[in-house]
Amino acid sequence: MRIAYYSPGPELPRRIGLIEGTTIRPIGPTGTTLSIVLFDEDPRSILENWIADASGDPVPLDSVPLLAPIDAQEVWGAGVTYERSKVARQEESEQGGSFYDLVYRAERPELFFKATPSRVVGPGVPIRVRQDTRWCVPEPELTLVLSPKLKVVGYTVGNDVSARDIEGENPLYLPQAKVYDACCGLGPSITLAHAMPPIREVGIRLEIERDGKSVVDESTSLARMARTLEELVDWLGRENRYPEGVFLLTGTGIVPPDDFSLEPGDLVKITVDGIGTLVNPVVRGPLA
Ligand code: DO4
Ligand code: MG
């Protein structure tokens, strides 16, 4: 079962839709929110009830804009959860290298605040390269959609856009490398937990096109993650509550070659098995 936020037309409020093949149809009352689904003890049942009662017609998926599947939730990230990420950080950081090795092996994972909903962009909306970086990469990450009680309600695709030169200069600059306007892509939809393939078999692919040509095409699998999703969620919930639910990006296992940096005009495509492909163009410069 895949759901998404979409815009049914200009001036109309966003709706939650059920994706069925190449169509989407509205479910739930107008004005309902993802928070309402997440608050429910049994999100699957609430959606199944809405589906049973749905009276709106399905429309072709490509005829309506899908929106970022978030409303009031915080977005957090886990880091250095794959060996590839650990090695890349050690290479980019002259003095902080050992911190990454330590955190890769430590019981406590790296968890960081990534974005408020207003800093998140949805499918087709540009992600931004900071104006003060020369080395910026997308990070394709399986993303957990968690209820206020930290139950995994579903999964979406996340892009933890990061400035490698800023975080490499000094690990204390991490928040500036990671958190700024349009620093995070989410979407295109949420696959409910019961409908996902077995998690360790899930593949993640990162494709980047420049001037219509493929310049990056790399894949990994959740089997390569050095931690379990359960332990990441457990640590996320220590000493923090998330009254609206929370998104957790679970770390990147793909890092483009060191001579690669995103440029304006690039197209970033991230595919996660069982969810779909999140596509975002890239911009740099002041916000519109
Ligand atoms: O420590 C830097 C951030 C790591 C990260 O975002 C990742 O591994 O995905
Ligand atoms: Mg990351």
Side-chain angles (χ1 to χ4, degrees):
M1 191 186 286
R2 285 172 64 207
I3 59 167
Y5 263 139
Y6 72 102
S7 170
E11 314 292 323
L12 293 173
R14 70 181 166 186
R15 295 294 306 258
I16 294 183
L18 176 74
I19 297 176
E20 294 167 305
T22 56
T23 65
I24 184 164
R25 68 178 159 127
I27 56 169
T30 305
T32 200
T33 61
L34 180 64
S35 296
I36 289 172
V37 177
L38 295 183
F39 285 148
D40 202 82
E41 277 301 313
D42 186 358
R44 184 175 168 182
S45 294
I46 190 172
L47 290 166
E48 280 171 353
N49 290 339
W50 285 350
I51 292 164
D53 294 345
S55 54
D57 289 330
V59 295
L61 203 43
D62 57 9
S63 69
V64 287
L66 297 186
L67 309 173
I70 185 170
D71 41 59
Q73 297 73 31
E74 292 177 359
V75 181
W76 285 68
V80 196
T81 50
Y82 295 77
E83 192 180 16
R84 176 69 189 104
S85 177
K86 177 191 78 123
V87 169
R89 310 297 150 186
Q90 288 174 308
E91 284 168 0
E92 81 197 5
S93 174
E94 258 178 45
Q95 282 142 16
S98 65
F99 286 107
Y100 295 110
D101 191 41
L102 289 171
V103 82
Y104 185 67
R105 295 165 199 283
E107 188 191 350
R108 183 193 291 272
E110 179 193 6
L111 292 174
F112 56 90
F113 184 80
K114 173 62 186 174
T116 49
S118 69
R119 295 189 170 88
V120 171
V121 299
V125 177
I127 47 174
R128 284 181 63 244
V129 173
R130 287 182 67 112
Q131 294 176 86
D132 55 2
T133 177
R134 288 181 316 283
W135 193 15
C136 179
V137 293
E139 294 189 355
E141 306 190 10
L142 175 73
T143 299
L144 312 183
V145 185
L146 296 160
S147 72
K149 291 187 175 163
L150 296 183
K151 180 174 168 190
V152 181
V153 173
Y155 299 85
T156 190
V157 180
N159 186 349
D160 171 23
V161 185
S162 302
R164 290 189 66 186
D165 49 354
I166 296 176
E167 73 178 9
E169 187 177 338
N170 187 324
L172 298 179
Y173 292 152
L174 187 87
Q176 295 174 73
K178 296 277 191 187
V179 186
Y180 55 93
D181 285 337
C183 65
C184 179
L186 288 179
S189 54
I190 294 173
T191 298
L192 293 200
H194 73 276
M196 274 299 275
I199 287 298
R200 301 301 285 188
E201 291 169 21
V202 166
I204 301 181
R205 181 175 181 195
L206 170 68
E207 297 166 274
I208 305 173
E209 286 176 15
R210 180 168 295 165
D211 302 324
K213 292 194 197 80
S214 168
V215 287
V216 172
D217 188 349
E218 291 188 34
S219 298
T220 189
S221 143
L222 263 286
R224 306 185 88 139
M225 190 188 273
R227 295 188 184 265
T228 64
L229 299 180
E230 290 75 15
E231 70 179 289
L232 295 178
V233 173
D234 175 60
W235 281 95
L236 186 71
R238 295 193 192 190
E239 307 296 322
N240 260 320
R241 281 174 291 182
Y242 305 93
E244 307 286 347
V246 58
F247 287 75
L248 177 63
L249 283 76
T250 58
T252 188
I254 301 174
V255 181
D258 284 356
D259 60 358
F260 178 86
S261 180
L262 286 174
E263 286 183 8
D266 287 353
L267 199 63
V268 179
K269 301 182 187 178
I270 300 173
T271 304
V272 177
D273 294 342
I275 305 171
T277 304
L278 172 65
V279 182
N280 297 99
V282 176
V283 295
R284 184 183 188 122
L287 291 166

